[in-house]
Amino acid sequence: MGRSRYKITDPQQPHFVTLTVLHWIPIFTRPATVNIVLDSLRFLSREGLKIYAWVILENHCHFVLQSKALDRDIARLKSWTGKNLIQYLVENNIQQILEQLAFYKKAHKDDRAYQFWQEGVHPELIQSEGMMRQKIEYIHQNPVKRGYVDEATHWRYSSARDYSGAAGLLEVCTAW
């Protein structure tokens, strides 16, 4: 079977995407690792990426995103965050996770010692307002369904606060 590739059906329309850490390894358990993803999203947002909704959990992230070239922007997001997260793990001598990232790395990735993200993002084109609402609700309820918080707005690493009228950690486009 061939490698999974991004299959963004219409790169200028909003898509629901999921980024998963290789082998579901829990990396986003410290503010420093989450901030690497947030910093990348802030940078891409200044370059035209629209963030409609987001959540970061311990081993994966969900987003509804849109840009003029979403496939390229997702590749940039994964590349920059992967390199910087691995650098963080090396600098902080987090050997157990580094060993797992090396062990589960795909064989064809022979140009690097580690692989951070699983391949693919399982993109889904947002085809209607109803679908947009459903995906945003799914994103915001993810930490609640996992039992991490009782209310979506209590999860710091999501856009649920933005949709409740409070300020979140990223600039989010709530008008769609």
Side-chain angles (χ1 to χ4, degrees):
M1 179 147 84
R3 293 190 302 153
S4 173
R5 293 273 183 205
Y6 309 138
K7 291 183 175 79
I8 306 291
T9 53
D10 186 346
Q12 297 187 13
Q13 295 302 312
H15 282 71
F16 171 81
V17 296
T18 301
L19 277 65
T20 306
V21 177
L22 188 67
H23 206 69
W24 295 86
I25 300 167
I27 300 276
F28 303 116
T29 57
R30 305 165 189 221
T33 55
V34 174
N35 284 331
I36 291 171
V37 176
L38 296 178
D39 287 345
S40 182
L41 289 166
R42 286 182 192 108
F43 174 81
L44 291 169
S45 148
R46 288 190 298 271
E47 294 201 342
L49 179 72
K50 281 187 185 177
I51 304 166
Y52 293 101
W54 64 279
V55 67
I56 299 175
L57 296 160
E58 75 279 4
N59 54 19
H60 70 287
C61 319
H62 295 295
F63 304 99
V64 175
L65 303 171
Q66 179 180 9
S67 77
K68 290 183 179 173
L70 189 56
D71 45 358
R72 177 185 57 95
D73 285 340
I74 289 172
R76 291 171 66 200
L77 174 67
K78 288 178 78 172
S79 175
W80 192 87
T81 56
K83 287 175 191 166
N84 283 277
L85 286 158
I86 288 168
Q87 180 181 347
Y88 172 86
L89 296 169
V90 168
E91 288 172 358
N92 290 278
N93 199 30
I94 305 173
Q95 288 302 315
Q96 184 178 12
I97 291 177
L98 287 167
E99 288 168 8
Q100 291 177 64
L101 293 175
F103 181 81
Y104 292 112
K105 175 179 74 88
K106 299 289 183 194
H108 67 268
K109 299 213 178 260
D110 55 8
D111 61 336
R112 63 195 82 179
Y114 309 104
Q115 177 181 343
F116 187 83
W117 296 109
Q118 287 187 23
E119 293 179 343
V121 295
H122 309 289
E124 294 181 52
L125 175 66
I126 303 296
Q127 299 178 28
S128 67
E129 183 178 325
M131 185 177 185
M132 177 71 99
R133 287 185 195 288
Q134 185 270 330
K135 293 301 182 187
I136 291 171
E137 182 71 9
Y138 174 83
I139 286 170
H140 293 162
Q141 290 301 312
N142 213 284
V144 176
K145 287 180 182 171
R146 288 173 160 254
Y148 298 158
V149 291
D150 291 329
E151 295 180 36
T153 55
H154 294 171
W155 190 253
R156 178 172 174 76
Y157 301 120
S158 113
S159 55
R161 292 178 185 181
D162 298 280
Y163 280 86
S164 72
L169 298 175
L170 287 176
E171 192 171 319
V172 174
C173 181
T174 57
W176 33 267

